[in-house]
Amino acid sequence: MGKHLPELLAPAGSMEAVRAAVQNGADAVYLGFGTFNARRGAKNFSPEEMREALLYCRLRGVKTNVTVNTLMSDREIPALLADVRLLLEAGADALIVQDLGAARCIHGAFPDAVLHASTQMTVHSLQGALAAKQMGFSRVVLSRELPLEEIAYITAHAGVETEVFVHGALCMCYSGQCGLSAVIGRRSGNRGLCAQPCRLPYGGKNSYPMSLKDLCLLPRLQALCDAGVSSLKIEGRMKRPEYVAIVTGIYASVLREGRMPTREEMDTLAKVFSRDGFTQGYLDDHIGPSMFGTRPAVPENGLKPLYDKASRTFAEGQERGQVPVRMFFCAHADEPMQLTASDGTHTAVVTADPAEQAQKRATTPEDIQIALGKTGGTVFTAEHMEAELDSGLRIAAKVLNDLRRQALAQLEQQRITVPPVREGTVPHTNAPKQTGFAGYTIQVRTLEQLSDAMASLSVQAYYVPVGELARQEKRTRQLLEAGCTLVPVLPRILWDREQEAVLQQLEQCRDMGCTAALCGNIGQPALVQQLGMQAMGDFGLNAFNSETLQALHDMGVVRQTLSFELRLPQIRDLGKPMETELIVCGRLPLMLTENCMIAGKQGGCRRDGTGVCAKGAYYLTDRKGAKFPVFREEHCRNSLYNSQPLYLEPGEYTGTGITHARLLFTDETPKQAQRIAQAVLAGEQPDFGMATTRGLYRRGVE
């Protein structure tokens, strides 16, 4: 499979799973620690267990990537840095990070720390990877939705390592863009406590429009190797160690033997965990009914023989000798005997008293090789041995065994020794801009919603999808000439193959008189600035703390929309180095999906804008009767919005230090949108025709 194989990265939610992964062929493992990891429901590790796990892997030459990949508040940053210090001092090889502010602080406090951009950062384009590189990340974990051609393009041009999921659960939503669990149940996926509401039925007990099959790219490893991917990642930190052992073992065999999987291997993977089988859909750029599935009940006793066999591979004391070592033994008359052992990086030298003259049979080089080769029960395997000795000497087996044990013990100590952690300076945000509340912005889905009556309101700006403005140039020019400030909204997901057309639309908007654009991911500010426009940051950038605002400010973002998972007191206390905005009215965006929730399971989605998804809002109904609107987005993606509109009283947010408050319109008619906007601007309670919510601004998330 090519000269340089990518690493095989296995999940480990417990010490047993660490052993399972390592003893079954993982090159690297990823582990969760503390409260800042995206699988807080996994067993995870205490400080003592984490030190043990890192030492165990370090000794065996297996890399350790530790997840600190949740959003965190200002008050949590000191605790994060304390965790990071412990991890680095214990020998963690890399940290997987989502929060831009956390990355900024870690990079400042510990300049040598290796940072990997979590899949929660929604990196799915070359520009996104380049932005991550600029912020100090050496690897990006790409969004699971990318097809092979996009993966290969990013990998070839980004100048950072790429990591790709090859096996395990698929979320319906792009990672890092899901607010469903948080908004409906206060359990935030961005904070590591997703309750997986997407796995529930909607619109009837047998309808699961958001439950995808598990991913299995085992037959496609050659293609990923050819694409230059650095790391192949198995999902499953919540899974039992037997699962980790079985899946890792099969992937390791197929990868290293450069072959296709056998039918038996595929059947075994399906048996230990799948949802109606597996899918390779995203890699092949094929979405639709074949990607959807649910988990059938599997009798535990049917898996017992598989699990029993797997558990024996990682039982306490089980060791497969995975560190090759070269040994050179030297014995000359009247000189101390010497054994040199090397693992290629470290070298141990041990000596013993001079050998005696043989009374009967002299020791041969073959005798020495046999004695030195007895590395069983250790992490080492004797790859190469040489012996140089004078004839007529007799060397006792005990002496050779002692030398071997001493040399390997020295090597062990050298391998687990962690170099001192270099410390830098924790960065500080600039003094907050003490600008007062400037007024409102209005976001619409369609230009029809931006009626003449709406356009006459006293608002700071109107946010409109860039495609709407470009396609309806006459109306766009009318609005601009009437004095409206129009801000094109870029698609939050913008693959490289889609970028040129969208940038042409943006250029068209600029030429008509638009001066800024709203960016939904980290790859977009640079693109906007290259066109001579100002970059504003949307909610998709997950601005949850002051350090993230500073990081975005450093990227040139002039106004940033804050995370709607923050509480109002947290918003008030943020250091605000640029203008800030809050969504205060309308349905909150909860999911953004590559697969179609409207027609995907029935096969009616054609990805060309002509399916049923193109006919306005569609509604998913949950078990309690709540209706969630779903819309087709650009490039035939879907967005899901909350069942209840949000409404905050002006007195709740105008004193928090934000400069702008946004009214967000989705399924409202032009007249409804206008009436609601007029009421809010007049300080009156708007009539939505249904119950409203205050979102998470009062209650927060767990």
Side-chain angles (χ1 to χ4, degrees):
M1 282 204 182
K3 201 169 181 183
H4 300 291
L5 290 182
E7 74 174 15
L8 182 61
L9 176 60
S14 65
M15 189 61 212
E16 295 86 351
V18 171
R19 290 203 308 271
V22 171
Q23 295 302 329
N24 282 279
D27 300 301
V29 297
Y30 63 105
L31 317 85
F33 181 64
T35 55
F36 306 118
N37 85 88
R39 288 291 181 271
R40 280 162 65 190
K43 187 177 175 185
N44 291 312
F45 296 81
S46 68
E48 296 72 28
E49 290 168 336
M50 180 55 74
R51 290 187 186 96
E52 179 191 356
L54 295 177
L55 185 147
Y56 180 90
C57 293
R58 191 175 186 85
L59 177 57
R60 290 157 181 80
V62 172
K63 295 284 189 183
T64 49
N65 305 340
V66 185
T67 59
V68 282
N69 59 336
T70 61
L71 300 182
M72 48 204 76
S73 68
D74 283 358
R75 289 187 177 185
E76 291 170 327
I77 296 285
L80 162 77
L81 294 177
D83 282 358
V84 168
R85 179 190 298 279
L86 182 151
L87 293 168
L88 296 178
E89 288 177 348
D93 290 296
L95 304 169
I96 306 172
V97 180
Q98 171 190 12
D99 189 293
L100 303 184
R104 182 173 185 268
C105 288
I106 294 168
H107 202 60
F110 306 103
D112 299 328
V114 176
L115 301 183
H116 294 175
S118 168
T119 189
Q120 292 282 115
M121 269 178 62
T122 326
V123 176
H124 59 273
S125 67
L126 176 59
Q127 284 297 327
L130 292 173
K133 180 183 179 183
Q134 187 74 30
M135 285 187 281
F137 291 94
S138 60
R139 176 186 293 184
V140 293
V141 186
L142 295 175
S143 293
R144 292 170 170 91
E145 290 80 359
L146 289 178
L148 183 62
E149 63 171 335
E150 297 284 320
I151 292 170
Y153 180 75
I154 296 167
T155 301
H157 298 96
V160 290
E161 295 180 344
T162 56
E163 180 174 303
V164 172
F165 279 92
V166 294
H167 195 89
L170 285 175
C171 296
M172 183 68 173
C173 182
Y174 272 86
S175 292
Q177 300 302 312
C178 188
L180 182 61
S181 179
V183 169
I184 68 173
R186 294 186 62 209
R187 292 189 56 183
S188 168
N190 281 316
R191 300 272 289 160
L193 286 173
C194 178
Q196 297 192 328
C198 52
R199 297 290 182 192
L200 298 173
Y202 291 80
K205 66 178 181 179
N206 294 320
S207 177
Y208 292 85
M210 294 191 281
S211 184
L212 296 176
K213 291 178 179 177
D214 277 22
L215 178 69
C216 178
L217 299 185
L218 188 64
R220 308 300 303 282
L221 299 189
Q222 174 69 63
L224 290 168
C225 291
D226 292 344
V229 169
S230 294
S231 182
L232 307 176
K233 187 172 197 170
I234 298 167
E235 183 274 339
R237 281 194 288 136
M238 303 282 279
K239 298 282 201 311
R240 57 192 295 166
E242 292 87 352
Y243 170 91
V244 174
I246 293 165
V247 177
T248 303
I250 290 173
Y251 270 82
S253 297
V254 171
L255 180 64
R256 279 157 208 158
E257 292 166 20
R259 59 175 173 83
M260 289 295 286
T262 64
R263 169 50 55 194
E264 182 185 7
E265 286 169 330
M266 293 299 292
D267 288 346
T268 298
L269 291 176
K271 196 180 290 182
V272 294
F273 198 94
S274 73
R275 292 177 169 90
D276 291 344
F278 293 116
T279 181
Q280 302 172 22
Y282 288 138
L283 196 74
D284 293 328
D285 208 2
H286 295 313
I287 60 171
S290 63
M291 287 194 70
F292 291 82
T294 54
R295 172 74 169 155
V298 178
E300 195 70 19
N301 56 5
L303 294 174
K304 192 172 186 305
L306 267 177
Y307 283 168
D308 286 348
K309 182 181 177 184
S311 65
R312 288 194 288 275
T313 66
F314 61 89
E316 284 277 9
Q318 184 69 32
E319 199 64 69
R320 66 185 182 94
Q322 61 222 82
V323 180
V325 65
R326 301 171 71 89
M327 289 187 266
F328 177 72
F329 176 80
C330 180
H332 297 294
D334 302 324
E335 292 181 15
M337 291 182 285
Q338 181 173 292
L339 174 63
T340 303
S342 173
D343 63 5
T345 303
H346 311 93
T347 301
V349 180
V350 292
T351 58
D353 291 339
E356 298 174 353
Q357 290 294 320
Q359 300 300 315
K360 296 179 181 176
R361 177 179 175 276
T363 299
T364 65
E366 291 74 23
D367 295 332
I368 291 169
Q369 288 184 352
I370 290 170
L372 296 182
K374 293 177 180 178
T375 58
T378 74
V379 303
F380 300 104
T381 180
E383 178 188 59
H384 180 80
M385 290 173 291
E386 287 183 41
E388 179 185 294
L389 71 163
D390 293 346
S391 58
L393 300 178
R394 179 64 183 163
I395 306 168
K398 180 182 183 306
V399 173
L400 291 171
N401 289 338
D402 285 347
L403 284 171
R404 183 193 70 241
R405 279 194 285 266
Q406 289 171 37
L408 296 184
Q410 264 191 38
L411 273 187
E412 281 199 10
Q413 190 57 48
Q414 290 176 28
R415 290 177 67 84
I416 63 175
T417 299
V418 181
V421 176
R422 184 165 71 95
E423 298 201 27
T425 306
V426 180
H428 293 288
T429 56
N430 294 340
K433 283 191 174 180
Q434 298 298 333
T435 48
F437 183 69
Y440 291 90
T441 61
I442 288 177
Q443 181 172 358
V444 294
R445 283 192 54 79
T446 66
L447 263 181
E448 285 70 35
Q449 289 172 315
L450 186 39
S451 61
D452 288 340
M454 181 82 94
S456 68
L457 297 176
S458 178
V459 299
Q460 300 294 307
Y462 297 92
Y463 300 152
V464 188
V466 64
E468 283 283 290
L469 294 173
R471 284 188 290 267
Q472 300 185 53
E473 184 167 330
K474 183 179 177 184
R475 176 60 175 159
T476 300
R477 288 188 182 277
Q478 275 180 357
L479 291 164
L480 287 165
E481 286 164 11
C484 292
T485 300
L486 299 181
V487 177
V489 180
L490 298 181
R492 258 187 293 164
I493 301 299
L494 188 59
W495 291 358
D496 285 295
R497 71 185 187 200
E498 300 158 352
Q499 184 176 294
E500 185 180 355
V502 172
L503 288 182
Q504 285 175 357
Q505 293 175 335
L506 186 59
E507 209 167 340
Q508 189 182 342
C509 293
R510 179 200 65 187
D511 293 345
M512 286 190 280
C514 299
T515 59
L518 196 58
C519 305
N521 68 66
I522 62 166
Q524 293 176 350
L527 293 173
V528 170
Q529 290 156 358
Q530 283 164 18
L531 290 178
M533 302 175 77
Q534 288 190 316
M536 297 179 178
D538 208 353
F539 63 89
L541 289 166
N542 289 320
F544 202 79
N545 57 56
S546 305
E547 297 293 345
T548 294
L549 290 176
Q550 187 62 49
L552 291 167
H553 178 264
D554 293 345
M555 290 170 66
V557 173
V558 298
R559 180 188 303 167
Q560 178 59 45
T561 304
L562 303 175
S563 167
F564 50 76
E565 294 187 27
L566 285 165
R567 289 182 296 108
L568 291 166
Q570 291 174 311
I571 292 167
R572 181 196 65 219
D573 293 342
L574 286 175
K576 303 177 179 73
M578 77 277 265
E579 294 182 346
T580 50
E581 184 164 341
L582 203 60
I583 299 173
V584 300
C585 176
R587 296 182 187 268
L588 287 173
L590 301 185
M591 291 182 97
L592 180 60
T593 71
E594 191 65 33
N595 251 298
C596 186
M597 288 180 270
I598 302 170
K601 205 160 181 244
Q602 286 72 42
C605 186
R606 293 189 283 274
R607 295 180 97 176
D608 60 2
T610 64
V612 295
C613 51
K615 299 169 184 172
Y618 175 87
Y619 293 84
L620 288 186
T621 307
D622 72 7
R623 297 170 302 165
K624 298 177 181 177
K627 294 182 182 298
F628 296 81
V630 182
F631 289 93
R632 176 189 177 271
E633 298 292 345
E634 287 289 334
H635 311 112
C636 228
R637 299 185 174 100
N638 280 183
S639 55
L640 176 83
Y641 288 84
N642 197 19
S643 60
Q644 289 182 316
L646 165 79
Y647 177 65
L648 282 187
E649 299 277 352
E652 296 183 87
Y653 53 81
T654 52
T656 60
I658 62 165
T659 54
H660 295 79
R662 188 191 310 183
L663 318 184
L664 174 57
F665 295 110
T666 50
D667 62 342
E668 295 86 358
T669 66
K671 281 192 174 178
Q672 286 174 323
Q674 175 207 328
R675 282 201 306 267
I676 291 167
Q678 282 177 325
V680 173
L681 267 59
E684 300 166 1
Q685 172 80 39
D687 179 14
F688 292 91
M690 64 178 74
T692 60
T693 174
R694 279 196 170 115
L696 298 162
Y697 295 129
R698 284 285 184 91
R699 52 197 179 120
V701 291
E702 292 180 27

